[in-house]
Amino acid sequence: MDRAHQINATKRYTEDDLDLLGRTFEETDLRAGTAWDMLKHSSMELPDWFKTNLDPFSDEYEAQQLRMWQAISGRGRNYDPEVDELEVIGPGVDAVRFPAFYVARHPGAVQNAGNHLIAMGSILQHSGLKAGDWALEYGAGFGQTALALSRLGVNVDTVDISKNFCGYVKENAEFFGTSLTPHVGTFADLPRGRDHFYDLIYFYKAFHHCLNFRHLIKTIKSVLRPKTGRIILCAEPIFADPTPAVPYPWGFRLDSETTSVTRSRGWLELGFDQKFIVNLFQSNGFKVRHIPCPQTMYGEIYVIEHRDDVVSLGNYWLAKKDAEGWYPPESEGRWTKQNATIPVDASRNFSALTVSLINHLPVQKVVSLRCGDETRSVTLQPSQIADVRFRNNGSRSVDVSVECHRPTEISSSPDTRPLGIFVSHIRYL
């Protein structure tokens, strides 16, 4: 208890405290008014062996995260999803009448059900689906969202590593007589092969269980309906601001609640910096929109679609860290402050891109741009428009940086912001 008091006071714990957290989790199941109250809302300090300067795309980075899983889970072996992602299901499951959250009877059960139902509503509302379309859910569990879509006439495939969960989904499909088909498999498995397209591919509290998420993104893009297909991430641990729980671009979440679950059950529980994961999708040829949910984080979603050939900065959503270099969007584009960046497609399905600049100010503007290993400098006179061209160099992840050497304040204008340059759009050629 002395150590628990110390953790409660500092909200920090170390690798040596993981046994304490795991035991307390198993004894209390995170219930309020128990010994867990002393440990909640704390985060683990990075071990002495952890290197913070590794490339997040490197094999060494992934190997270090797997070493972190071994430390947190207490399992002295490699992670194996077939073994370590086993579900926790009580006896006597009634998959039709009382599936998932409907079976709970604890004091917070109704509120918890509300969170899940709001999340399901968010997915349906932003799915863009109609009867006859095709949807694919990874990590479906009991498949309640998939069932709802299928009851609305959507053809739905689910993929889950659990044979039990797939059995429950099948039971519901047969009971309701819907086009809902479960498949036992892992992330990036394609139930109907590479020639079948889906109008929606979605993840509800599941994407963060995929270690090889970079391969997953490329795989699902290959079966996403061209032009109109969507991907939805719902209730995923994506953090716009720095947090002790995820002190790196991606990796294991270090909050006490998550590490305790991993210590007890062995589950893979990743978290992501928002800029990293959003830019990863954008560099693979997607555009991303974040849709917050004021009622519950369960309903927070990211809608991911194929990028357009012409990307208007006036309606292009940016991750928070990228948006800090820009003023809010306007109808025709967006002003930079001084140094601004925007992620661009890094795939090989185009030969070049152009960045369109407009000098709306009554003074000359000198602007430097960089994309990959190319740099450009351009001088714009008042009212001048310039298209700055970059070749596609095949980098794995690319930002266009726009640096305006002297932000300008126009005292005679009602807009007194120090303005850089106005960027209207990016065009892929």
Side-chain angles (χ1 to χ4, degrees), residues 47-276:
D48 293 339
W49 49 262
F50 194 91
K51 300 176 183 178
T52 59
N53 60 347
L54 298 179
D55 178 356
F57 293 97
S58 68
D59 292 339
E60 187 180 3
Y61 187 102
E62 182 175 309
Q64 181 170 253
Q65 287 295 340
L66 285 172
R67 182 180 176 185
M68 182 73 83
W69 175 84
Q70 290 178 341
I72 294 173
S73 69
R75 289 153 173 81
R77 55 171 174 77
N78 292 331
Y79 166 75
D80 181 356
E82 300 280 353
V83 175
D84 298 310
E85 295 295 331
L86 294 178
E87 72 277 9
V88 177
I89 302 175
V93 174
D94 188 329
V96 174
R97 294 192 305 161
F98 301 112
F101 49 84
Y102 290 107
V103 74
R105 295 295 182 267
H106 58 79
V110 174
Q111 182 179 3
N112 181 59
N115 290 334
H116 286 287
L117 291 169
I118 289 170
M120 291 168 58
S122 294
I123 294 171
L124 268 61
Q125 187 176 37
H126 297 284
S127 68
L129 296 174
K130 62 183 183 302
D133 286 346
W134 282 87
L136 170 61
E137 179 178 8
Y138 284 104
F142 281 97
Q144 291 300 289
T145 305
L147 176 62
L149 286 170
S150 71
R151 294 178 71 184
L152 290 165
V154 177
N155 305 293
V156 187
D157 287 328
T158 64
V159 174
D160 202 290
I161 202 168
S162 167
K163 293 180 181 179
N164 287 330
F165 278 139
C166 289
Y168 301 147
V169 172
K170 182 179 180 181
E171 189 176 343
N172 272 282
E174 292 173 348
F175 180 85
F176 286 98
T178 63
S179 180
L180 171 60
T181 309
H183 304 266
V184 178
T186 59
F187 291 108
D189 282 355
L190 301 176
R192 299 180 187 271
R194 292 189 175 273
D195 295 329
H196 183 88
F197 289 109
Y198 292 96
D199 301 281
L200 173 70
I201 300 174
Y202 67 99
F203 304 79
Y204 176 45
K205 303 183 74 173
F207 185 84
H208 64 274
H209 288 282
C210 179
L211 179 64
N212 197 0
F213 54 87
R214 284 178 288 158
H215 171 69
L216 173 62
I217 291 172
K218 294 180 184 297
T219 299
I220 61 178
K221 183 181 181 182
S222 70
V223 294
L224 190 66
R225 182 84 63 191
K227 297 185 181 298
T228 60
R230 290 183 179 180
I231 299 168
I232 287 180
L233 306 183
C234 182
E236 296 293 346
I238 299 171
F239 299 92
D241 296 307
T243 171
V246 186
Y248 25 57
W250 69 270
F252 289 94
R253 306 202 305 280
L254 303 180
D255 60 282
S256 55
E257 289 81 359
T258 302
T259 58
S260 298
V261 170
T262 299
R263 190 72 167 185
S264 175
R265 298 173 181 171
W267 293 347
L268 186 93
E269 297 281 356
L270 299 179
F272 303 94
D273 173 79
Q274 185 191 68
K275 176 179 169 64
F276 172 82

Side-chain angles (χ1 to χ4, degrees), residues 6-24:
Q6 292 173 0
I7 294 172
N8 185 48
T10 63
K11 297 304 177 186
R12 304 289 286 176
Y13 63 93
T14 71
E15 185 179 350
D16 294 335
D17 297 312
L18 288 166
D19 278 337
L20 169 63
L21 268 68
R23 289 196 309 270
T24 308

Side-chain angles (χ1 to χ4, degrees), residues 28 30 78 138 175 313 408:
T28 66
L30 308 184
N78 292 331
Y138 284 104
F175 180 85
L313 271 290
T408 304

